[in-house]
């Protein structure tokens, strides 16, 4: 009869519902395994590609894990494992659907009890109209059989029932097989019924019992190594061979840099050498066809593989850096719209989760809920104050997930910032209003920098409404929340660097591609001295998020992530001493994960209101494969787990870090990711990763130690506290310091162009000119450039601007496609125009630096502020051109009258093909990422060449030229100076408006 294999440690109790109890389905749809606990049907946790299914009926319920895949392993057949941890007198029944058995035969499974007491477990196969077959074990006498078998007829339903006697018991079941009448062995699939996706709050799972914790950890090892995975499966020996050098690198590094106990490391090294010797001996054994010897070798290899992983885990945990004490983290349901922009909007938040503490990471998965008094909602971005006494986080109260992208029932939902004590007491809401506030960062003085939609405005591409959020700041008590960034588009994840500056992600796509420029900038704690930190002219990855400073290092750790998906991807180190662009400053800490969208296609998700499980596949993907330093060869892990990803790294050093990881694929715009993607891991730079916590039903992210940490420098603000001016001062040492192209030495003036935030939602709604998804523009004016290239001028504060270098004729030689702004009273400076930031330029006393007062901006011509093509350009055309280019006489089929035509006027529509402007995708891919001098604007415009060469007797005055050059260069050939539809109608008719709604 059946035998029970006692070699494994753990107890699986398994129960199958009879076919009559299975819910009705279409006959073409395979039936799934169902589970009852004490007679009650229980649904599993949300599904995962890693094949983890957790069943429980509440906090104190018995627990069941089903681990496996319908098609897995080198033979691509099911090989499920079941772990059951039963309370005394409880029972679990697992019902196997009859449709997967093709013939009468014999059912069998291996059973092992995992208990140190004299607890008794009973395992029964049941089939209608046949006698029950059972095995009973008492661990004190070790009497449980190795296997249990049942004669089976395919017309009958079958179930497996596990019962505990008077004490709790743990059982492991495996090797589920049906042997048919013609002696063919068919592995049995236990693929469970799926938990229906829901718009209601996603429940958190109860903590795992210790035996199930270990089962989950061991299963995680299997999935990492490709043991019994659906894709890229590997043998135990192949897995060991790959892990041995990684473990040795870990041992060498700990011994060399971190070990506190030399004797302990001697033991560790000896143990690793012993594992290596045993592996080499096993690998060198002669090949054999003997089935019994092959099975024995496989069993030995599995035992060695398990011992190696357990040893490696113990070694990793001996690292004092991982002795972090309790960790705070968020159980978080990813947004209903996977996009780097929308992932933080309250109106697409999905309820579920909370702020939790993991009491003993690496030793136990026991957690403690801190945010228990809050209503249903979504939690993000927990962070701990430097003294370890306060926790800040973002929370959006919501009762249901959105059932569509523009769900009217959700439109007013917003994230606000909350604070509580480290023990979860005294929870306080610190911000309110019709704003999304998130990503709090505690400054050394206790104040808070965060991201907020308080500046106002909307993003320029895609649908919406998508609010712009930028850096904001408030006092420690929550008072005076206000924007400190006046950037035109979005900003994320502020973090205090070790030198006291703030590093953050900024979306910077003025007049260029929207996809590639979500990279790193820095500022001081008061919002001054804003400058590029890394990547503003880099294609790959698409963007960088969740950057963190590293203790004792000038480098930072961050995530290389997609544009059209939430911020998750590959973890990297960035060393700006090696450069501020390109691949040279980047070291990939997780090279097995390629950059989503930038190196591997980012799959599309099901769109709301359809809800998806992990195995839902939608055709199509986002990809942004520009010429760049890209890895194009898929790693073994990338093939095994397509678009797997990391999130929320917390560095402990340059080589060791805490992070969340997902075997499941990251999905892109415009639907949701699965709710339970991420678990928390201890990781190193050698490829070792150990699971420390995973809730099988909901993602666990943003883990960090709940402890005091070294304070960072507190920058004292240089801004005036009294008599605060409305302006600031800007100094350029030498405009000819340029890189990578030399600036022509004929620059005579600098044009200052204000970049206007979009005040209406949705791309090109309305357009302000021919340039696709363009920001608004207006011209503040010009200032002279001294002979030595120096410039010193005053400009309005809180005003995003870009600069354009003009030649002796007033034509643009080179222009910015980014922007700067000043705080009130700020004095800012730069070395040159796109200078090489990796070289130092000696400070010299320039002509402009000798000036006692800054130059005042000379205003541009009428119609340049607010911008109005009819007022700025049409008067020149009326005086010089309309005589030959009118309704009755349109020479060259060109009509240059100011009559409205479509969105613009006849003259604008006629001239726009003859001017050069820069825009997302135009011209020729916009020559991304950087431009050479003379590439855009008047020097590249056919219209200006025609006029310069002499166009009949058309003679332009200096004012005429300034008007045309201001339009083509300064305004990037836009038509309107506002996004306000009613004011645009007035401007189209040549009327004046007061100005844009938001400046």
């Amino acid at each position: 009869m059946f035998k029970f294999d006692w070699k494994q440690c753990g107890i699986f109790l398994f129960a199958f519902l009879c076919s009559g109890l299975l819910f009705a389905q279409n006959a073409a749809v395979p039936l799934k395994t169902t589970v009852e606990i004490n007679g009650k049907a229980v649904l599993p946790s949300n599904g995962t590609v890693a094949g983890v299914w957790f069943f429980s009926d509440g906090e104190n319920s018995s627990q069941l894990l089903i681990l496996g895949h319908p098609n897995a392993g080198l033979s691509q057949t099911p090989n499920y494992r079941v772990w059951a941890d039963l309370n005394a007198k409880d029972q679990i029944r697992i019902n196997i659907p009859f449709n997967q058995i093709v013939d009468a035969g014999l059912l069998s499974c291996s059973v092992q009890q995992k208990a140190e007491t004299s607890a008794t477990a009973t395992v029964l196969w049941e089939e209608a109209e046949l006698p029950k077959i059972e095995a009973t074990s008492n661990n004190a006498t070790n009497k449980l059989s190795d296997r249990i078998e049942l004669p089976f007829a395919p017309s009958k339903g079958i179930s497996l029932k596990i019962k505990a006697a008077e004490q709790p018991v743990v059982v492991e079941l495996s090797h589920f097989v049906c042997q048919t009448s013609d002696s063919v062995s068919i592995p049995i699939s236990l693929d469970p019924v799926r938990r229906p996706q829901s718009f209601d709050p996603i429940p958190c799972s109860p903590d795992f019992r210790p035996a199930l914790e270990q089962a989950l950890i061991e299963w995680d090892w299997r999935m990492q190594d490709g043991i019994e995975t659906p894709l890229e499966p590997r043998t135990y020996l192949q897995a060991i061979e790959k892990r041995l050098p990684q473990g040795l690198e870990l041992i060498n590094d700990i011994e060399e840099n971190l070990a506190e106990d030399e004797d302990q490391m001697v033991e560790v090294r000896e143990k690793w050498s012993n594992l290596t010797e045993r592996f080499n001996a096993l690998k060198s054994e002669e090949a054999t066809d003997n089935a019994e010897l092959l099975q024995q070798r496989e069993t030995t290899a599995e035992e060695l593989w398990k011992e190696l992983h357990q040893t490696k885990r113990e070694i990793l945990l001996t690292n004092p850096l991982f002795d972090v004490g309790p960790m705070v983290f968020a159980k978080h349901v990813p947004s209903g719209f996977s996009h780097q922009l929308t992932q933080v909007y309250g109106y697409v938040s999905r309820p579920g989760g909370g702020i939790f503490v993991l009491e003993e990471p690496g030793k136990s998965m026991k957690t403690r809920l801190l945010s228990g008094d809050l209503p249903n909602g979504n939690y993000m971005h927990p962070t701990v104050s430097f003294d370890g006494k306060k926790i800040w986080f973002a929370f959006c109260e919501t009762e249901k997930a959105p059932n569509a992208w523009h769900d009217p029932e959700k439109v007013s939902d917003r994230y606000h910032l909350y604070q509580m004590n480290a023990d979860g007491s005294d929870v306080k809401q610190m911000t309110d209003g019709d704003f999304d506030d998130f990503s709090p960062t505690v400054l050394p003085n206790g104040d808070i920098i965060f991201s907020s939609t308080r500046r106002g405005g909307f993003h320029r591409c895609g649908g919406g409404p998508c609010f712009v959020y930028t850096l904001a700041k408030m006092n420690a008590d929550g008072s005076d929340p206000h924007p400190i960034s006046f950037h035109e588009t979005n900003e994320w994840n502020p973090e205090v660097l070790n030198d006291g500056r703030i590093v953050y992600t900024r979306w910077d796509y003025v007049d260029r591609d929207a996809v590639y420029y979500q990279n790193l900038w820095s500022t001081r704690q008061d919002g001054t001295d804003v400058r590029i930190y890394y990547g503003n002219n880099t294609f790959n990855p698409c963007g960088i998020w969740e950057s963190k400073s590293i203790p004792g290092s000038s480098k930072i750790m961050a995530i290389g992530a997609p544009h059209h998906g939430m911020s998750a991807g590959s973890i990297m180190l960035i060393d700006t001493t090696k450069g501020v662009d390109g691949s040279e400053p980047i070291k990939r800490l997780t090279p097995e994960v390629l950059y989503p969208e930038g190196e591997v296609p980012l799959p599309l998700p099901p769109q709301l209101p359809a809800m998806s499980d992990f195995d839902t596949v939608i055709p199509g993907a986002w990809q942004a494969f520009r010429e760049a330093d890209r890895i194009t060869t898929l790693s073994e892990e990338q093939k095994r787990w397509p678009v797997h990803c990391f999130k929320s790294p917390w560095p402990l050093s340059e080589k060791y870090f805490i992070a969340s990881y997902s075997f499941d694929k990251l999905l892109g715009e415009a639907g949701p990711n699965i709710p339970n993607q991420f678990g928390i891991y201890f990781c190193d730079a050698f490829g070792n990763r150990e699971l420390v916590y995973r809730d099988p039903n909901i993602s666990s992210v943003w883990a960090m130690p709940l402890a005091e940490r070294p304070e960072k420098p507190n920058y004292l603000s240089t801004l005036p506290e009294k008599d605060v001016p409305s302006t600031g001062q800007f100094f350029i040492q030498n405009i000819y310091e340029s890189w990578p192209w030399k600036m022509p030495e004929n620059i005579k003036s600098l044009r200052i162009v204000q970049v206007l935030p979009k005040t209406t939602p949705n791309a090109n709604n309305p357009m302000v000119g021919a340039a696709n998804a363009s920001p608004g523009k207006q011209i503040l004016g010009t200032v002279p450039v001294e002979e030595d290239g120096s410039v010193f001028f005053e400009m309005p504060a809180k005003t995003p601007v870009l600069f354009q270098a003009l030649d002796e004729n007033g034509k643009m030689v080179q222009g910015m496609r980014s922007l700067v702004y000043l705080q009130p009273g700020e004095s800012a400076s730069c070395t040159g125009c796109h200078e090489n930031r990796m070289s130092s330029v000696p400070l010299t006393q320039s002509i402009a630096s000798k000036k006692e007062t800054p130059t005042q901006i000379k205003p541009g011509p009428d119609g340049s502020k607010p911008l109005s093509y009819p007022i700025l350009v049409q008067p020149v055309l009326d005086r010089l051109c309309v005589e030959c280019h009118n309704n009755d006489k349109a020479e060259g089929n060109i009509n240059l009258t100011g009559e409205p035509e479509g969105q613009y006027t006849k003259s604008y529509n006629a001239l726009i093909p003859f001017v050069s402007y820069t825009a997302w995708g135009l011209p020729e891919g916009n020559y991304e990422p950087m431009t050479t001098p003379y590439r855009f604007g008047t020097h590249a415009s056919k219209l200006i060449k025609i006029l310069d060469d002499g166009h009949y007797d058309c003679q332009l005055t200096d004012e005429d030229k300034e008007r045309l050059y201001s339009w083509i260069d300064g305004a990037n050939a836009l038509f309107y100076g506002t996004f306000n539809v009613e004011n645009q109608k007035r401007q189209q008719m040549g009327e004046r408006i007061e100005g844009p709604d938001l400046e």
Side-chain angles (χ1 to χ4, degrees):
M1 292 295 292
F2 291 97
K3 294 183 178 180
F4 283 97
D5 186 346
W6 280 95
K7 294 177 181 178
Q8 301 178 18
C9 64
I11 299 180
F12 278 53
L13 300 181
F14 204 48
F16 289 88
L17 293 175
C18 298
S19 60
L21 297 177
L22 295 173
F23 57 85
Q25 298 189 45
N26 187 301
V29 179
L31 299 177
K32 305 284 188 179
T33 294
T34 60
V35 170
E36 291 180 349
I37 298 179
N38 294 330
K40 178 181 177 181
V42 177
L43 289 170
S45 57
N46 287 302
T48 167
V49 70
V52 176
W53 307 90
F54 178 62
F55 297 81
S56 174
D57 190 28
E59 194 68 33
N60 299 312
S61 162
S62 295
Q63 297 182 350
L64 177 75
L65 265 178
I66 298 180
L67 304 169
H69 300 88
N71 296 292
L74 298 175
S75 61
Q76 292 295 294
T77 58
N79 189 6
Y80 280 85
R81 288 171 169 79
V82 175
W83 285 78
D85 191 324
L86 279 80
N87 298 327
K89 299 183 179 181
D90 275 8
Q91 70 174 23
I92 294 178
R93 180 190 294 269
I94 305 172
N95 298 315
I96 304 175
F98 68 90
N99 61 298
Q100 53 186 309
I101 310 300
V102 297
D103 190 8
L106 198 65
L107 298 175
S108 68
C109 67
S110 296
V111 183
Q112 297 170 26
Q113 183 168 325
K114 310 293 183 178
E116 297 179 357
T117 67
S118 58
T120 299
T122 302
V123 182
L124 303 92
W125 279 112
E126 293 186 339
E127 181 184 14
E129 302 177 3
L130 286 177
K132 297 179 181 179
I133 308 296
E134 70 176 62
T136 301
S137 78
N138 182 304
N139 202 58
T141 56
N142 201 22
K143 293 294 185 181
L144 189 62
S145 303
D146 285 341
R147 297 187 67 76
I148 180 170
E149 299 178 345
L150 174 70
F152 174 71
S155 61
K156 307 298 182 181
I158 56 171
S159 66
L160 190 65
K161 184 164 64 176
I162 310 160
K163 299 190 297 185
E166 300 299 321
Q167 290 180 318
V169 68
V170 181
V171 175
E172 177 186 5
L173 307 180
S174 60
H175 303 98
F176 298 90
V177 175
C178 174
Q179 188 173 26
T180 65
S181 58
D182 54 358
S183 299
V184 175
S185 293
I186 302 176
I188 300 173
S189 175
L190 307 183
D191 193 27
V193 65
R194 304 295 190 258
R195 172 182 286 270
Q197 292 285 351
S198 172
F199 295 101
D200 296 327
I202 302 295
C204 298
S205 303
D207 287 337
F208 285 110
R209 306 276 179 84
L212 270 61
E213 284 185 19
Q214 185 61 33
L216 189 65
I217 290 168
E218 291 181 11
W219 185 256
D220 197 85
W221 297 338
R222 291 178 182 275
M223 296 302 95
Q224 289 188 47
D225 285 355
I227 306 296
E228 300 166 10
T229 57
L231 301 175
E232 293 296 314
R234 296 293 186 268
T235 65
Y236 289 110
L237 288 180
Q238 288 172 328
I240 294 170
E241 189 166 28
K242 181 170 183 176
R243 294 302 179 190
L244 278 170
Q246 292 176 336
L248 186 58
E249 284 188 278
L250 172 63
I251 292 169
N252 290 339
D253 189 72
I254 293 177
E255 187 173 53
E256 183 177 341
N257 301 307
L258 298 165
E260 299 174 345
D261 187 335
E262 293 184 8
D263 292 338
Q264 182 187 35
M265 292 310 299
V266 170
E267 289 183 23
V268 165
R269 189 171 290 279
E270 289 178 352
K271 193 169 185 178
W272 202 256
S273 296
N274 176 263
L275 290 167
T276 303
E277 291 172 3
R278 289 160 57 193
F279 164 73
N280 289 332
L282 188 60
K283 185 180 178 184
S284 64
E285 289 183 4
E286 292 184 7
T288 178
D289 294 330
N290 185 291
E292 186 174 346
L293 289 177
L294 287 173
Q295 180 59 48
Q296 183 178 351
R297 184 179 297 178
E298 180 72 4
T299 300
T300 302
E302 181 178 4
E303 291 172 349
L304 181 61
W305 170 85
K306 191 178 296 186
E307 185 180 347
L308 177 141
H309 265 286
Q310 187 61 48
T311 302
K312 186 163 66 68
R313 182 179 179 89
E314 292 169 0
I315 294 170
L316 189 75
L317 294 176
T318 63
N319 184 341
L321 292 177
F322 286 123
D323 186 16
V324 296
M327 293 195 311
V328 65
F329 68 98
K331 292 191 180 184
H332 167 76
V333 188
S335 163
F337 191 112
S338 181
H339 192 285
Q340 47 93 15
L341 173 65
T342 59
Q343 63 184 329
V344 291
Y345 289 143
Y347 71 80
V348 285
S349 64
R350 300 156 70 191
I355 305 299
F356 285 78
V357 169
L358 184 62
E359 301 284 6
E360 297 181 288
K363 300 176 183 178
S364 167
M365 294 190 187
K366 182 177 176 56
T367 62
R368 175 165 49 91
L369 175 63
L370 297 180
S371 55
D373 292 336
L374 291 175
N376 286 326
N378 187 280
Y379 298 78
M380 297 195 305
H381 308 146
T383 191
V384 180
S385 60
F386 283 98
D387 61 9
K389 296 180 179 179
K390 300 288 185 182
I391 299 172
W392 288 79
F393 61 96
F395 173 71
C396 175
E397 181 179 353
T398 185
E399 288 293 331
K400 64 186 289 286
N403 60 19
W405 168 223
H406 303 291
D407 187 345
E409 295 184 21
K410 292 271 293 178
V411 70
S412 62
D413 288 356
R414 297 286 182 269
Y415 282 100
H416 301 300
L417 296 184
Y418 286 70
Q419 181 201 81
M420 62 184 169
N421 294 329
D423 62 1
S425 62
D426 197 23
V427 179
K428 299 176 181 177
Q429 182 176 333
M430 306 301 285
T431 64
D432 56 19
D434 193 22
F435 312 108
D436 280 303
D437 298 323
F438 53 92
S439 291
T441 294
V442 183
L443 298 179
N445 68 354
D447 289 350
I448 305 297
I449 281 185
F450 57 103
S451 291
S452 176
T453 59
R454 294 168 185 271
R455 194 220 65 185
F458 301 88
H459 90 310
R460 292 184 273 109
C461 67
C466 292
F467 311 107
V468 164
Y469 39 81
T470 61
L471 297 189
K473 187 177 179 181
M474 68 182 180
N475 298 326
D477 62 1
S479 62
D480 191 28
H482 62 280
I484 61 168
S485 169
F486 307 96
H487 181 55
E488 182 262 338
T489 47
N490 299 68
E491 296 171 334
W492 302 257
N493 308 131
E495 161 74 3
V496 185
L497 293 173
N498 290 332
D499 63 9
R501 290 179 298 160
I502 306 298
V503 66
Y504 61 99
T505 299
R506 165 169 153 174
W507 192 3
D508 198 62
Y509 73 115
V510 177
D511 300 333
R512 57 180 183 167
D513 199 301
V515 172
Y516 297 97
Y517 303 112
Q518 297 91 182
N519 290 311
L520 300 179
W521 289 67
S522 69
T523 183
R524 291 178 180 264
Q525 294 172 19
D526 60 359
T528 61
D529 192 31
V530 175
R531 61 184 63 228
I532 296 167
Y533 185 85
Y534 170 80
N536 200 40
N537 287 305
T538 298
F539 279 145
N540 192 41
C542 292
I544 300 173
W545 281 270
E546 300 190 326
S547 54
K548 294 293 179 184
S549 57
I550 301 171
S553 173
S554 62
K555 303 172 187 176
I556 67 169
M557 192 176 291
I559 291 282
H563 172 90
H564 291 99
M566 71 171 171
S567 52
S570 190
I571 299 177
M572 63 177 76
L573 283 184
I574 300 175
D575 182 359
T576 55
T577 65
K578 296 181 178 180
V580 295
D581 270 306
S583 61
E584 182 64 22
I586 291 178
K587 177 182 178 181
R588 302 196 192 204
L589 293 177
T590 57
E592 70 275 16
V593 176
L594 302 188
Y595 297 138
E597 189 172 8
E599 291 179 332
V600 291
L602 180 67
L604 299 182
Q607 296 190 28
L608 296 171
M611 300 292 279
S612 68
D613 212 325
F614 74 96
D615 47 6
T616 303
V617 177
I618 301 297
W622 296 98
Q623 61 183 44
F625 294 174
R626 286 286 185 91
E627 289 299 322
D629 294 327
R630 296 175 51 238
I631 295 176
T632 57
T633 302
L634 298 183
S635 65
E636 171 190 318
E637 293 84 357
Q638 193 78 51
K639 293 176 183 177
R640 182 176 298 141
W641 307 112
V643 207
H644 62 152
C645 56
F646 285 90
K647 187 170 177 59
S648 60
W650 182 267
L652 304 170
S653 73
E654 292 182 9
K655 298 177 183 176
Y656 301 97
F657 52 98
I658 305 163
S660 293
Y661 170 78
S662 168
F663 291 105
D664 288 276
K665 60 188 175 185
L666 180 67
L667 299 175
E669 183 182 343
N673 284 276
I674 66 171
N676 57 330
Q677 257 183 300
F678 295 97
I680 301 170
Y681 292 75
F682 284 165
C683 311
D684 66 27
F686 315 118
N688 301 297
R689 182 174 77 241
E690 289 295 331
L691 177 67
V692 294
Y693 183 77
R694 186 180 286 276
D695 185 321
N697 212 45
I698 191 171
S699 288
S700 299
V701 283
W702 299 301
M704 67 176 293
L706 182 55
E708 183 179 1
R709 52 197 168 108
E711 288 197 4
K712 298 177 181 179
N714 180 28
Y715 270 128
L716 297 177
S717 178
T718 59
L719 297 176
E721 296 182 2
K722 297 181 179 180
D723 302 323
V724 179
S726 60
T727 61
Q729 299 176 355
F730 206 95
F731 173 73
I732 301 174
Q733 181 176 331
N734 183 359
I735 204 169
Y736 298 113
E737 282 293 340
S738 59
W739 178 87
W741 302 283
K742 184 176 177 58
M743 182 75 75
E745 295 185 0
N746 61 341
I747 306 303
K748 298 302 180 183
S749 60
L750 196 70
R751 180 185 286 124
I752 295 93
V753 179
Q754 183 176 353
V755 180
L756 299 172
K758 194 170 189 296
T759 57
T760 56
N762 306 326
N764 296 319
N765 181 33
M767 296 186 74
V768 286
N772 176 42
S774 177
K777 302 276 180 63
Q778 60 186 18
I779 298 168
L780 301 185
T782 58
V783 293
V785 174
E786 308 295 344
E787 292 181 3
D788 61 355
S790 61
V791 189
F792 180 39
F793 61 96
E794 186 176 63
M795 59 177 269
K798 301 183 178 181
T799 303
V801 301
L802 57 81
F803 303 143
Q804 296 174 344
L806 311 183
D807 63 15
E808 67 276 10
N809 297 312
K811 297 179 180 179
M812 181 179 72
V813 175
Q814 179 71 293
M816 290 172 61
R817 291 192 290 176
S818 182
L819 57 80
V820 298
Y821 55 84
L822 298 178
Q823 303 293 335
E826 178 182 0
S827 295
S829 65
C830 62
T831 301
C833 181
H834 297 281
E835 75 276 7
N836 185 351
R837 289 176 172 81
M838 300 310 298
S839 63
S840 59
V841 178
L843 290 175
T844 58
Q845 191 173 36
S846 62
I847 297 174
S849 66
K850 297 177 182 179
K851 291 186 175 183
E852 294 184 1
T853 58
T855 300
Q856 299 300 304
I857 296 173
K858 176 187 174 183
D862 189 25
S864 62
K865 184 180 183 297
L867 177 68
S868 170
Y869 171 89
I871 295 175
L872 177 63
V873 178
Q874 193 61 45
V876 179
L877 306 180
D878 288 343
R879 185 167 56 84
L880 298 176
C881 307
V882 168
E883 182 179 351
C884 298
H885 300 281
N886 55 56
N887 293 328
D888 300 322
K889 179 185 179 183
E891 294 285 350
N893 201 30
I894 294 175
N895 187 334
L896 296 181
T897 65
E899 295 178 25
E901 183 181 68
Q903 290 180 279
Y904 309 113
T905 61
K906 291 183 176 180
S907 66
Y908 183 87
N909 291 332
L911 290 181
I912 202 67
F914 295 92
V915 301
S916 172
Y917 58 92
T918 174
W920 177 9
L922 295 171
E924 296 180 36
N926 208 5
Y927 305 104
E928 304 276 1
M930 292 188 288
T931 65
T932 57
Y934 303 120
R935 177 162 278 170
F936 295 116
T938 47
H939 279 289
S941 292
K942 189 182 299 185
L943 171 64
I944 301 304
K945 186 178 187 307
I946 291 171
L947 295 175
D948 286 348
D949 289 346
H951 184 61
Y952 299 100
D953 58 351
C954 182
Q955 299 293 319
L956 276 75
T957 65
D958 288 344
E959 181 184 353
D960 295 335
K961 293 177 182 178
E962 184 182 16
R963 285 173 174 268
L964 292 176
Y965 301 167
S966 294
W967 171 56
I968 297 171
D969 291 335
N972 196 35
L974 298 181
F975 186 92
Y976 294 109
T978 177
F979 289 98
N980 184 300
V981 175
E982 294 302 317
N983 281 340
Q984 282 193 354
K985 291 178 181 178
R986 293 173 57 198
Q987 285 198 314
Q988 187 183 31
M989 300 303 297
E991 298 178 20
R992 295 181 183 273
I993 63 170
E994 291 186 7
D997 295 340
L998 182 64
E999 299 188 56

